[in-house]
Amino acid sequence: MLTSRPVVLSLATFIYLLVLLVIRDGRFLALTPINDAPQPSDGYRHDVALVVASMKKEDTSRIQKYLPGCLIFIHASSFAWHNDDPGYNALPTLRNFRISHLQEAGYANLRCARVVGCPAEIRPVEDEGRAKNGALTANGVFRQAWHKLMMPEEAPVPEVVAVSCCSQLGVTRETIRNRPLEDYVRFRDWLLRTPLEDSLSGRVLGFSWHIIFGKEAVHCPSAQECYCKTFGICDSACSEGACDGRYTLPPHSTLPEDWPRVGWENEERNFTGPLS
């Protein structure tokens, strides 16, 4: 069960850190000392929001003092099509999340259903330049982005990248600190300078977090293993990619406006739980 003390469900406690990672549509925003805030004509994209801290650059003691042992990165909305719950509700996901598993693994995806993302979502070399209806796709730009994000002389471009979507995850303090601060600065600068549309840069990062936090490029545990270890749901009938009664891919990538009270056919769903 979820315990509140070691876990951050929002990223508010990062507000004074030198680097702030905030998941939003697969992307992160970075916290920058106020004296280093990007100025016009510096090559940065100024249509991207940037959180600025009022702390001195050399004072990083808050990283040691306030970074909690376990963190959960999750979207702001309670209901989303990708939430791994029969009603697409984030609340049961958080209530059932096993902190002990995160502490052991260092990183844990909040989604176990393998549809969308596994077993082989992106083939960076093979997919390079791929377009759909005349527009570039994230698959088509991933290899180029990798050269900017991951320093390929140290981390060669993988043949296949796969993880169950969609940028909601748990990570430990130790896993975050396994990377030097310079890496997170590089990720931030790429996001602020890239000419890619938000939908592309977000998807690139969405399929990079598991690698950033120490997992293999293909991170697709079986559904049965994932549900049991991550949520303590161990008695469901499962195939390799799904377990009965857990998640059904919805007909659209957005939920109905009045969900969870009203379904796709305007039917009443008799939902009585909290809405936020």
Side-chain angles (χ1 to χ4, degrees):
M1 295 295 291
L2 182 68
T3 56
S4 59
R5 183 172 298 275
V7 179
V8 176
L9 300 184
S10 72
L11 297 174
T13 56
F14 266 4
I15 195 63
Y16 294 110
L17 299 183
L18 187 61
V19 171
L20 172 65
L21 303 179
V22 180
I23 300 291
R24 189 179 71 184
D25 297 331
R27 303 165 52 206
F28 71 81
L29 309 181
L31 187 65
T32 304
I34 193 166
N35 292 335
D36 289 349
Q39 301 299 318
S41 75
D42 58 6
Y44 284 87
R45 290 177 52 197
H46 292 277
D47 61 334
V48 176
L50 188 69
V51 181
V52 179
S54 57
M55 61 173 281
K56 293 182 179 180
K57 182 176 180 180
E58 63 272 15
D59 179 12
T60 59
S61 61
R62 293 179 183 270
I63 295 177
Q64 299 294 329
K65 186 174 181 180
Y66 291 114
L67 191 63
C70 296
L71 302 93
I72 290 179
F73 288 30
I74 192 165
H75 297 180
S77 55
S78 297
F79 295 89
W81 70 268
H82 51 73
N83 285 340
D84 202 334
D85 173 74
Y88 311 107
N89 188 350
L91 184 58
T93 300
L94 295 175
R95 283 176 171 168
N96 292 326
F97 187 76
R98 296 181 65 243
I99 298 302
S100 59
H101 169 60
L102 176 59
Q103 290 170 330
E104 179 180 349
Y107 160 95
N109 198 339
L110 267 66
R111 181 177 158 89
C112 293
R114 293 176 60 170
V115 61
V116 186
C118 287
E121 183 71 12
I122 299 174
R123 299 181 184 274
V125 176
E126 182 179 325
D127 292 346
E128 187 171 18
R130 177 187 290 183
K132 183 177 181 180
N133 298 325
L136 278 174
T137 64
N139 296 54
V141 302
F142 194 93
R143 183 183 185 185
Q144 176 188 5
W146 180 274
H147 283 273
K148 301 291 186 180
L149 286 171
M150 299 296 186
M151 305 299 288
E153 63 272 16
E154 301 174 9
V157 180
E159 292 185 10
V160 179
V161 175
V163 68
S164 186
C165 83
C166 295
S167 299
Q168 298 193 135
L169 55 99
V171 63
T172 63
R173 174 174 54 214
E174 289 72 22
T175 297
I176 291 173
R177 289 177 178 164
N178 281 341
R179 281 192 172 275
L181 181 63
E182 291 75 17
D183 282 2
Y184 296 109
V185 172
R186 186 173 67 253
F187 303 153
R188 175 204 62 187
D189 287 351
W190 174 80
L191 178 64
L192 292 175
R193 288 190 168 102
T194 180
L196 296 175
E197 295 289 334
D198 291 351
S199 59
L200 294 180
S201 61
R203 189 166 171 82
V204 166
L205 278 171
F207 281 92
S208 300
W209 290 116
H210 65 294
I211 305 172
I212 288 171
F213 292 134
K215 296 302 181 183
E216 296 293 329
V218 176
H219 182 64
C220 295
S222 71
Q224 185 172 36
E225 175 189 359
C226 181
Y227 280 117
C228 189
K229 289 184 176 181
T230 308
F231 300 112
I233 301 172
C234 304
D235 56 357
S236 297
C238 302
S239 63
E240 182 68 13
C243 291
D244 291 352
R246 294 307 311 159
Y247 179 83
T248 301
L249 185 67
H252 306 288
S253 59
T254 56
L255 298 178
E257 182 177 356
D258 293 324
W259 187 274
R261 292 173 173 166
V262 179
W264 278 279
E265 303 299 328
N266 290 320
E267 75 279 10
E268 292 292 332
R269 299 188 66 251
N270 299 316
F271 180 81
T272 58
L275 296 175
S276 61

